[in-house]
């Protein structure tokens, strides 16, 4: 309701619904919406990037005029949430869980260790990611972790599963958000027209549904493919991007994202972050709300990454980066199984 009011619309204007978790028909019913377009795509935390892409296609095809994308999840309180289980009939339940890979904190250790080994890095590079993003969270009153930290403090923190100490793992929160999409021509006539954010390009891809079945465990093929399509459809490249939101459920993911999306050459992501390029005043401000490591992570973080990009492009962010006009949003879902990429701008293409 807040998102629609922000756009200058009401539920009566909405004819498309997309969500992950609850069924879109449930959301539509409780909001009093009779949709002519529905999307219940569920591929984990990047589902919302795919919803934006699908909604834009639907609007362009005339299948919908106004699409509402929603998310709500009680990751911390677990109110209304099912117990976390890995079922024996799942592939991961048969071939990974018996060996201890029972959740992201343990399954993600394998690619993280491979990534660091292949590049001659160690846990220090993971800690640098945490410190850089904590700086953004310090001045964000809604961030879950705001206390400044150091590389040594992160390394010395409670061990969760090697190489991850506690602060290298995302926070666990309750949270929700919503996005409203419509055609650029219609947006011009809305009260919010001066604050519109435009989708310039997008991409989506997938690979093995288990971490152990990635083609290259030290690099995400899904990241490379979806980001390449997003750049191509936007007609832009990494050097054209002012701001980056990279899904950071764990500290190794921003390193993968910087390299697989082409922002830095292979092996240079750790130094790029350590040298301050992703911090305030850096050449590529990244995860400026504090990210999943410090701001919020309800279980599926993609919605919050998109929202921060929108706020930055509107110049309405809590910790605002000055002078930006483009933002790249990169999501990941089901560990590395799914990828969604968006190129956003505060100018119409």
């Amino acid at each position: 309701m807040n998102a629609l009011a922000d756009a200058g619309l009401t539920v009566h204007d909405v004819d498309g619904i997309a969500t992950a978790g609850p069924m879109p028909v449930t959301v539509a019913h409780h909001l009093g919406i009779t949709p002519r377009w529905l999307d219940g795509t569920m591929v984990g935390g990047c589902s919302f990037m795919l919803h934006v892409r699908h909604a834009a296609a639907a609007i362009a095809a005339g299948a919908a005029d106004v699409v509402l994308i929603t998310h709500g999840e009680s990751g911390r309180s677990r109110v209304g949430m099912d117990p976390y289980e890995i079922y024996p009939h799942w592939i991961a339940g048969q071939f990974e869980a018996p060996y201890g890979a029972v959740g992201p904190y343990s399954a993600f250790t394998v690619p993280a260790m491979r990534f660091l080994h292949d590049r001659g890095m160690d846990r220090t590079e993971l800690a640098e990611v945490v410190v850089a993003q904590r700086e953004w969270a310090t001045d964000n009153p809604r961030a879950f972790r705001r206390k400044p930290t150091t590389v040594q403090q992160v390394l010395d923190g409670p061990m969760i599963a090697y190489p991850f100490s506690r602060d290298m793992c995302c926070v666990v929160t309750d949270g929700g958000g919503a996005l409203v999409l419509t055609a650029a021509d219609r947006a011009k006539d809305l009260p919010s027209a001066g604050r519109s954010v435009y989708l310039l390009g997008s991409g989506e891809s997938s690979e093995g549904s288990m971490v152990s079945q990635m083609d290259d465990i030290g690099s995400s093929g899904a990241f490379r493919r979806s980001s390449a399509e997003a750049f191509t459809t936007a007609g832009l490249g990494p050097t054209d991007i002012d701001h980056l939101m990279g899904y950071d459920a764990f500290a190794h993911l921003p390193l993968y994202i910087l390299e697989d999306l082409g922002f830095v050459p292979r092996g240079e992501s750790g130094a790029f972050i350590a040298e301050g390029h992703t911090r305030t005043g850096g050449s590529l401000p990244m995860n400026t709300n504090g990210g999943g490591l410090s701001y919020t992570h309800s279980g599926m973080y993609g919605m919050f990454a998109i929202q921060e990009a929108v706020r930055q492009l509107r110049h309405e962010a809590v910790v605002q980066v000055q002078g930006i006009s483009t933002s790249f949003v990169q999501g990941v879902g089901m560990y590395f199984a799914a990828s969604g990429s968006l190129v956003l701008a505060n100018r119409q293409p």
Side-chain angles (χ1 to χ4, degrees):
M1 300 301 290
N2 288 341
L4 287 166
D6 180 76
L9 296 166
T10 72
V11 292
H12 303 294
D13 297 299
V14 178
D15 59 357
I17 290 283
T19 192
M23 295 181 66
V25 294
T26 303
V27 176
H29 172 75
H30 285 288
L31 290 176
I33 296 169
T34 303
R36 61 190 184 99
W37 182 86
L38 295 163
D39 185 1
T41 298
M42 172 55 172
V43 289
C46 69
S47 299
F48 312 100
M49 287 77 173
L50 273 63
H51 292 160
V52 170
R53 174 174 162 88
H54 298 172
I59 292 168
D65 292 319
V66 175
V67 175
L68 178 64
I69 303 173
T70 70
H71 171 54
E73 192 173 18
S74 301
R76 187 171 185 84
S77 69
R78 306 302 297 174
V79 173
M81 299 286 288
D82 294 329
Y84 183 79
E85 294 186 65
I86 298 179
Y87 296 101
H89 64 274
W90 291 356
I91 297 177
Q94 299 176 54
F95 297 106
E96 286 190 347
Y99 300 95
V102 295
Y105 58 88
S106 54
F108 260 157
T109 59
V110 178
M113 292 294 288
R114 170 54 61 186
F115 184 97
L116 297 177
H117 176 270
D118 286 351
R119 292 155 179 80
M121 300 180 187
D122 58 30
R123 297 179 66 238
T124 302
E125 278 77 13
L126 300 178
E128 290 280 7
V129 172
V130 177
V131 172
Q133 295 189 188
R134 186 67 59 83
E135 286 190 6
W136 290 108
T138 299
D139 294 324
N140 185 347
R142 298 182 68 178
F144 190 87
R145 293 175 180 160
R146 298 182 59 197
K147 185 178 179 180
T149 189
T150 66
V151 168
Q152 196 59 50
Q153 287 174 328
V154 175
L155 293 173
D156 292 342
M159 185 61 65
I160 303 301
Y162 195 88
F164 301 129
S165 64
R166 183 195 61 186
D167 284 1
M168 295 176 189
C169 307
C170 65
V171 299
V172 181
T173 63
D174 292 355
L179 302 164
V180 179
L181 273 74
T182 192
D185 288 345
R186 179 166 187 180
K188 291 178 181 178
D189 298 326
L190 297 176
S192 57
R195 300 160 60 240
S196 296
V197 170
Y198 300 91
L199 176 66
L200 302 188
S202 63
E204 61 187 271
S205 188
S206 67
E207 56 182 296
S209 60
M210 295 186 292
V211 167
S212 62
Q213 300 305 304
M214 295 172 65
D215 289 338
D216 177 359
I217 209 165
S219 175
S220 170
F223 281 3
R224 297 194 304 272
R225 289 186 292 271
S226 70
S227 63
E229 184 169 354
F231 279 126
T232 298
T233 53
L236 301 175
T239 58
D240 300 308
I241 302 300
D242 302 322
H243 173 256
L244 174 63
M245 292 302 296
Y247 200 118
D248 62 320
F250 288 79
H252 64 304
L253 288 173
L255 301 174
Y256 274 78
I257 288 169
L258 286 170
E259 295 189 14
D260 287 336
L261 273 58
F263 286 102
V264 301
R266 180 182 173 91
E268 296 186 15
S269 55
F272 187 80
I273 290 176
E275 291 166 3
H277 294 288
T278 63
R279 303 186 188 191
T280 304
S283 60
L284 184 65
M286 180 172 68
N287 295 337
T288 49
N289 57 1
L293 294 174
S294 293
Y295 172 59
T296 192
H297 197 298
S298 60
M300 293 187 287
Y301 173 71
M303 173 63 73
F304 309 108
I306 301 170
Q307 287 186 317
E308 173 64 10
V310 169
R311 291 181 177 123
Q312 288 287 347
L313 292 169
R314 286 177 161 189
H315 301 285
E316 296 173 356
V318 175
V319 185
Q320 181 65 49
V321 178
Q322 299 303 316
I324 69 169
S325 61
T326 56
S327 179
F328 197 105
V329 188
Q330 177 61 42
V332 62
M334 312 294 290
Y335 307 147
F336 278 112
S339 174
S341 307
L342 305 174
V343 180
L344 305 177
N346 52 20
R347 53 177 172 78
Q348 189 170 358

